[in-house]
Amino acid sequence: MSARALEALFEFPFETPEPIPFSEVGEDVHFVVMNNGDVETGAVFELHVRGGSVTNPMIYNVETNEFIGFNMTLNAGDSLVINTNTKEKSAMYYPVNAAGQSALGHMMFNSTWLQLVSGANYFGISANSNTDRITVTVTSTDKYEGV
């Protein structure tokens, strides 16, 4: 699911043949993850860059404003895999054609290991550049409270 994000277009006259736009209307990437279990659970979020480069990628919960983000640049073909499952928490950066490495040192201040509540979970993706170039895959296991 995708929603349009409004960015102001501020223009003023110059001594140029045409006005220069300072911003554009772009795509804001939102998606829903279902947790059909009856207890909160972690997930594995895989961000893959389809082309160009992405700076400072972040996944955020639209309803709670919790986020997990990374101060780094991902290039075309790179992946960032974030595991928020209990006792498995990790963030791995996989540059194209290179061995994976920990991305924990790039984690943004106040990041949260995002969890999935029971039912629908609404998330968004943001970055300083090229958000529309990020493909997100989310894997989770529904969990149920035992007796």
Side-chain angles (χ1 to χ4, degrees):
M1 177 166 58
S2 178
R4 294 187 86 49
L6 179 64
E7 297 179 31
L9 292 173
F10 176 70
E11 295 182 22
F12 53 92
F14 283 107
E15 296 295 323
T16 62
E18 295 182 29
I20 300 171
F22 284 88
S23 59
E24 300 177 342
V25 173
E27 295 294 317
D28 190 16
V29 181
H30 287 98
F31 58 98
V32 178
V33 179
M34 290 300 299
N35 174 6
N36 294 314
D38 58 15
V39 296
E40 189 174 271
T41 186
V44 176
F45 298 86
E46 181 176 350
L47 284 64
H48 182 76
V49 180
R50 292 187 315 271
S53 62
V54 173
T55 304
N56 301 332
M58 178 191 309
I59 304 170
Y60 61 94
N61 183 310
V62 174
E63 295 179 321
T64 66
N65 291 322
E66 293 176 308
F67 71 91
I68 188 165
F70 297 85
N71 295 311
M72 61 191 307
T73 298
L74 305 175
N75 297 307
D78 291 354
S79 293
L80 179 63
V81 179
I82 306 154
N83 187 339
T84 68
N85 286 293
T86 302
K87 297 184 181 179
E88 298 177 16
K89 291 178 174 60
S90 64
M92 293 294 294
Y93 167 55
Y94 295 96
V96 67
N97 299 324
Q101 53 192 300
S102 175
L104 291 176
H106 298 279
M107 193 178 294
M108 291 179 181
F109 181 71
N110 285 335
S111 285
T112 302
W113 295 101
L114 299 173
Q115 298 293 295
L116 306 179
V117 297
S118 184
N121 293 265
Y122 299 91
F123 292 102
I125 295 289
S126 69
N128 289 27
S129 62
N130 295 325
T131 302
D132 61 332
R133 307 265 181 175
I134 303 172
T135 300
V136 181
T137 304
V138 182
T139 307
S140 66
T141 302
D142 296 335
K143 296 180 181 171
Y144 301 90
E145 190 170 350
V147 179

